[in-house]
Amino acid sequence: VKNNSKNAFKAVLFDLDNTLVDFARMKERACDAGIRAMRSHGLRMPFASAKRALFRLYCEHGIENKNIFQIFLARELGRVDYKLLSNAIVAYRKQENDFLEPYAGTRETLALLRKRGVALAIVTDAPRLRAWNRLAAMGLTRYFDFVITIADTKRRKPHAAPFALALKKLSLEKTPERVLFVGDSPGRDMAGAKRAGMRTCLARYGMRGWRTIAWRSLKSSFVEARAASKLARSHSDFANLAVRKRIRPDFVIDGFRELAKIV
Ligand SMILES: [Mg+2]
C-alpha cells in the first residue's frame, strides 16, 4: 500500500456490497440461522452436514440464488416441507435485515474523512431502495453526500455512465484524478473508475470473504474445495489475475482503516 498524504483527494466514491457491507459474513450468519430454524422445526440432519449441503448448492446455483432453501429441501428430503421452508426463510431474513454490518473501522474512518472535508458518495449496481436500506441498516446514511444506484443511469459498472454522473454531482468532471474510487471488483469498480480518470483503490478484504466462508464450509474434500474456489471466483473476479494485472489499482487495502492513510 502506497502511503502518501499528498494525494489531496477531494472526494472518495465507494462501491457498496463487499466494500462497505460485510455481505459474506451476513450471508453465513443468515444461512446458519436458517439451518438452525429448520433443525428446531424437525429437520433431522446434523448442523455441519446441512451447512455443507447448503453451500454446495450455492456453488451449483450461484451465491445470490433466492430459492436456495427450496432447492436444499427438495434435494435433502425429496420434497419441499413448507413448515421447514418458511421457518428457514424467516430466520434468514431476520439476520439479513438486523445484522448487516459494515467492515471493522468503517464508521470511524468515514467520520474522519468527512472531518477532513472530503466528499463521500456511493456508486452501486444495487437497486435504489435496497442500497439505501442496506446503508440505513448499518447506520451509515449520514456519511454520504449522494448514492448512485442502477436506477439513476440504468447502466452497470464498468459502464462509463454511473462514473460520469458521480463526477458531475461532485462538480469534478475536469479533475477526476482528485477522486478516489474504492471497490472490491477489479473488473467492475477498478476498470470503470480508471477509465473515468479517477484513481483507484482495491478493497482486497472484500474479495476474501466468500473464499474464507466457502472454504470453511466445504473444506471436507478436494473436490469441494475446488467448488468453493469456483464460487469465490464467480462472485468476485479476485482470482482472475489477468484482470488484476491489466487493471492495476493505484492502491490496495486489506482493511477499511487503511483508507485514512491514503486520502
Ligand atoms: Mg462489490
Side-chain angles (χ1 to χ4, degrees), residues 123-143:
V123 181
T124 174
D125 290 338
R128 182 179 278 156
L129 187 58
R130 208 175 292 170
W132 276 103
N133 284 350
R134 279 179 195 161
L135 288 170
M138 298 187 294
L140 294 182
T141 53
R142 75 187 67 200
Y143 300 110

Side-chain angles (χ1 to χ4, degrees), residues 4-255:
N4 183 354
S5 54
K6 290 175 303 209
N7 290 309
F9 288 114
K10 288 197 174 249
V12 183
L13 300 173
F14 295 92
D15 165 54
L16 183 55
D17 292 335
N18 295 315
T19 296
L20 293 174
V21 188
D22 195 344
F23 203 66
R25 187 167 166 196
M26 181 282 289
K27 188 99 191 177
E28 185 178 30
R29 259 194 208 178
C31 288
D32 287 357
I35 294 166
R36 270 197 301 274
M38 288 190 288
R39 275 167 47 81
S40 72
H41 287 86
L43 178 71
R44 294 177 165 208
M45 205 174 166
F47 180 86
S49 328
K51 186 165 175 175
R52 208 176 306 129
L54 192 65
F55 273 83
R56 211 179 283 142
L57 291 173
Y58 271 128
C59 290
E60 274 174 47
H61 298 273
I63 197 74
E64 301 278 11
N65 190 291
K66 297 293 174 212
N67 300 313
I68 207 72
F69 289 110
Q70 278 96 319
I71 298 169
F72 171 88
L73 289 168
R75 180 78 58 94
E76 296 300 323
L77 304 181
R79 72 194 165 85
V80 177
D81 178 326
Y82 277 82
K83 184 171 74 179
L84 299 185
L85 176 63
S86 55
N87 280 291
I89 291 173
V90 168
Y92 180 100
R93 288 198 183 146
K94 209 172 254 177
Q95 294 291 320
E96 191 178 37
N97 295 329
D98 297 353
F99 296 97
L100 208 53
E101 276 180 36
Y103 289 98
T106 298
R107 279 191 204 91
E108 304 95 277
T109 308
L110 292 173
L112 184 75
L113 298 183
R114 279 209 79 99
K115 227 165 96 184
R116 292 184 191 167
V118 179
L120 305 176
I122 305 270
V123 181
T124 174
D125 290 338
R128 182 179 278 156
L129 187 58
R130 208 175 292 170
W132 276 103
N133 284 350
R134 279 179 195 161
L135 288 170
M138 298 187 294
L140 294 182
T141 53
R142 75 187 67 200
Y143 300 110
F144 298 101
D145 298 295
F146 57 84
V147 177
I148 293 176
T149 68
I150 189 73
D152 293 291
T153 65
K154 313 283 187 282
R155 300 291 186 175
R156 286 173 203 284
K157 297 177 280 186
H159 193 280
F163 297 94
L165 179 61
L167 288 175
K168 193 175 166 215
K169 280 179 174 273
L170 293 164
S171 302
L172 292 172
E173 299 109 307
K174 297 255 161 60
T175 51
E177 72 280 1
R178 308 293 296 277
V179 179
L180 181 67
F181 197 101
V182 185
D184 70 297
S185 169
R188 296 187 296 273
D189 300 319
M190 302 297 96
K194 190 152 250 182
R195 217 177 295 145
M198 300 172 188
R199 300 189 75 197
T200 52
C201 175
L202 182 65
R204 191 157 55 187
Y205 57 84
M207 304 188 299
R208 290 205 172 124
W210 291 116
R211 262 203 172 170
T212 313
I213 285 167
W215 277 86
R216 202 156 63 214
S217 312
L218 295 171
K219 63 191 167 194
S220 54
S221 79
F222 177 69
V223 174
E224 286 177 343
R226 286 190 53 158
S229 276
K230 207 173 141 207
L231 174 75
R233 266 205 302 280
S234 70
H235 184 77
S236 130
D237 34 9
F238 173 62
N240 192 339
L241 289 171
V243 170
R244 268 180 77 198
K245 276 190 181 150
R246 201 172 65 234
I247 289 161
R248 285 227 178 133
D250 298 301
F251 305 93
V252 176
I253 54 173
D254 288 308

